[in-house]
Amino acid sequence: MEIETATLDFIKTIQSLNTIVEIDAEKSKFLGKNGILTKEFKKLSVLNTEEKVMFGKKLNTIKNQVEEVINNQIKLVKKLELDKKLKEENVDITLPINKEFGSLHILSNEIRRIKNEYKAKGFLILDGPEVETEFFNFDALNIPKYHPARQSQDTFYIEDFDETLLRTQTSCVQIRAMQEKQLPLRMISIGKTYRNDQLDATHSPMFHQIEGLVVDNNPINIGNLKDELSKFVAFVFEVDSVLLRFRPSFFPFTEPSMEVDCCYSKENGNIKINKNGDKWLELGGAGMVHPNVFRACGITTEPYGFAFGFGLERLVMLKYGINDIRSLYDTDIRLLRHYKSILIN
Ligand code: FA5
């Protein structure tokens, strides 16, 4: 049979097939190792150059043509199969849906609230790596080797990697920010921190910190810091104002340094942020940035700056009256359900 006739027959057959398996089987009869067209290609070797060019061109045209027909038929068959499947597996869109939607965890919700608020206030929202070097976590923060402050934050070191650790505080993001950004600088960073602390009602080996930093070549004083802290805590607790207590303290990277407590009361077992309360809860540390920290970041203009670092879990526990930090992590769906309705996402 002439190749042209065989081609026409082949095309007709392909176009009559309804399954991919059949198409594949038929395809190999024409294009396979011993297929009709392949045998024609083998004849090229005995032809002279001129005939070879002519016949070769003809065979390639046929090959392209049948390949196109095969591909089109495959597409058609697949479409028909899908249409059939969609018809058979009809989805009843009138069926009622499962009405229980998920919600953010209260920690995630608080992180989003704070980030949105401070972004709107013009602060940069920055992140830093959780696996840090000693330089960013300690050295640049004016905590030299063998300084007792290194022991106060019991550190997880990464085995086999020199001077590498899980960051114990978000203060390392201060250093990265001051190295990279121009002054004036206002930034917030929220992230996970790690300490080799025993898990109990108020301590977890992994917890979140919120770091704030403001640096300017124009004067900034401790009054500005207290003002910012009061606004920050009132915002977190969603109250008009709060009463904070500032206790002198020591952090190598701030001078002077202070510990910040918030006044609250307990009514019928419920915690209430209350300026007239009789209890105080420690939220974190703060102070004016130490000149050595500016120097470690390569800043020579002797600017002014304040920084603060609060534990997020402690804030959230106080806000929602949660007594045990472990309930924030033990993946009990009832916690999400309980707080779902009061969260502002
Ligand atoms: C710091 O980590 C300083 N970097 C804070 C700071 C920043 C001071 C900027 C000055 C300027 P401290 O070790 O006190 O400080 O930790 C801060 C807060 O983290 C604590 O007050 C507490 O709220 C929280 N925190 C500390 N350890 C844990 C823990 N194991 N579990 C839960 N929260 C913790």
Side-chain angles (χ1 to χ4, degrees):
M1 202 198 299
E2 285 279 318
I3 183 65
E4 285 87 349
T5 320
T7 307
L8 285 178
D9 284 352
F10 174 72
I11 290 175
K12 245 190 211 161
T13 311
I14 288 286
Q15 285 173 335
S16 69
L17 299 177
N18 299 321
T19 68
I20 305 287
V21 179
E22 285 172 333
I23 295 173
D24 278 345
E26 203 58 35
K27 181 181 167 185
S28 67
K29 283 189 205 161
F30 200 77
L31 295 173
K33 226 173 166 190
N34 294 311
I36 298 169
L37 192 64
T38 316
K39 280 184 188 154
E40 291 296 312
F41 271 107
K42 282 179 187 158
K43 290 180 188 166
L44 285 173
S45 58
V46 295
L47 299 180
N48 67 36
T49 318
E50 208 175 308
E51 288 170 332
K52 225 181 234 172
V53 173
M54 294 256 300
F55 194 51
K57 215 172 174 185
K58 185 170 150 186
L59 293 183
N60 277 324
T61 311
I62 291 176
K63 190 168 180 249
N64 291 339
Q65 191 190 355
V66 296
E67 277 176 348
E68 197 184 325
V69 171
I70 292 169
N71 288 339
N72 286 342
Q73 192 62 18
I74 289 175
K75 268 189 215 156
L76 183 70
V77 168
K78 281 189 176 164
K79 187 183 173 304
L80 291 175
E81 278 175 1
L82 185 68
D83 287 350
K84 193 169 160 234
K85 212 171 165 197
L86 285 176
K87 239 184 218 165
E88 281 169 5
E89 297 171 9
N90 197 6
V91 179
D92 183 356
I93 52 167
T94 61
L95 275 177
I97 52 156
N98 174 3
K99 287 209 187 79
E100 189 173 12
F101 292 109
S103 69
L104 285 180
H105 191 279
I106 42 179
L107 287 174
S108 309
N109 186 70
E110 211 50 52
I111 291 171
R112 288 198 189 183
R113 277 188 71 245
I114 297 168
K115 283 185 175 173
N116 286 344
E117 171 74 3
Y118 276 78
K119 198 171 167 194
K121 280 174 75 166
F123 280 61
L124 294 175
I125 310 297
L126 301 179
D127 281 324
E130 288 169 30
V131 177
E132 260 298 4
T133 61
E134 280 192 309
F135 174 78
F136 288 103
N137 198 76
F138 291 130
D139 300 334
L141 285 163
N142 198 30
I143 313 175
K145 284 197 172 46
Y146 311 114
H147 191 285
R150 289 204 184 194
Q151 269 76 58
S152 74
Q153 301 182 353
D154 227 344
T155 311
F156 290 115
Y157 282 88
I158 311 280
E159 266 178 32
D160 302 331
F161 286 92
D162 264 1
E163 308 199 339
T164 311
L165 43 81
L166 293 180
R167 67 179 179 188
T168 58
Q169 50 189 346
T170 42
S171 298
C172 25
V173 188
Q174 286 185 34
I175 306 300
R176 292 183 177 274
M178 283 191 274
Q179 282 186 342
E180 286 165 22
K181 308 286 177 195
Q182 300 289 318
L183 301 191
L185 170 65
R186 301 200 299 160
M187 71 121 213
I188 285 280
S189 183
I190 309 179
K192 295 192 180 88
T193 49
Y194 303 83
R195 292 184 194 177
N196 194 3
D197 285 343
Q198 201 63 37
L199 186 64
D200 63 22
T202 52
H203 291 84
S204 162
M206 187 286 293
F207 59 100
H208 294 76
Q209 282 193 343
I210 304 154
E211 195 79 14
L213 173 73
V214 173
V215 184
D216 202 317
N217 286 317
N218 294 314
I220 295 176
N221 60 40
I222 208 160
N224 301 119
L225 168 60
K226 287 176 159 183
D227 180 51
E228 190 58 59
L229 288 174
S230 302
K231 285 181 185 150
F232 172 78
V233 178
F235 171 75
V236 171
F237 290 134
E238 298 180 55
V239 293
D240 290 339
S241 57
V242 286
L243 179 63
L244 296 183
R245 183 172 72 180
F246 302 97
R247 279 179 293 115
S249 184
F250 172 77
F251 294 102
F253 34 94
T254 47
E255 180 58 39
S257 302
M258 54 208 195
E259 214 94 47
V260 186
D261 303 335
C262 182
C263 187
Y264 72 100
S265 60
K266 243 183 178 174
E267 289 163 25
N268 306 325
N270 295 325
I271 289 169
K272 193 165 175 258
I273 303 301
N274 184 352
K275 283 169 141 181
N276 303 313
D278 56 349
K279 295 187 178 1
W280 297 93
L281 188 97
E282 180 200 309
L283 300 177
M288 304 306 290
V289 181
H290 196 291
N292 284 351
V293 176
F294 291 134
R295 284 183 208 118
C297 298
I299 297 175
T300 50
T301 52
E302 297 187 6
Y304 302 81
F306 67 69
F308 59 90
F310 285 0
L312 179 68
E313 282 78 357
R314 302 269 172 92
L315 286 168
V316 166
M317 285 165 73
L318 193 55
K319 180 170 176 178
Y320 293 109
I322 295 171
N323 294 322
D324 196 319
I325 198 170
R326 287 168 285 202
S327 54
L328 292 173
Y329 307 121
D330 61 11
T331 63
D332 187 337
I333 194 81
R334 286 173 301 180
L335 181 100
L336 295 186
R337 287 199 183 121
H338 180 72
Y339 291 107
K340 194 160 115 179
S341 59
I342 50 171
L343 296 185
I344 311 148
N345 293 325

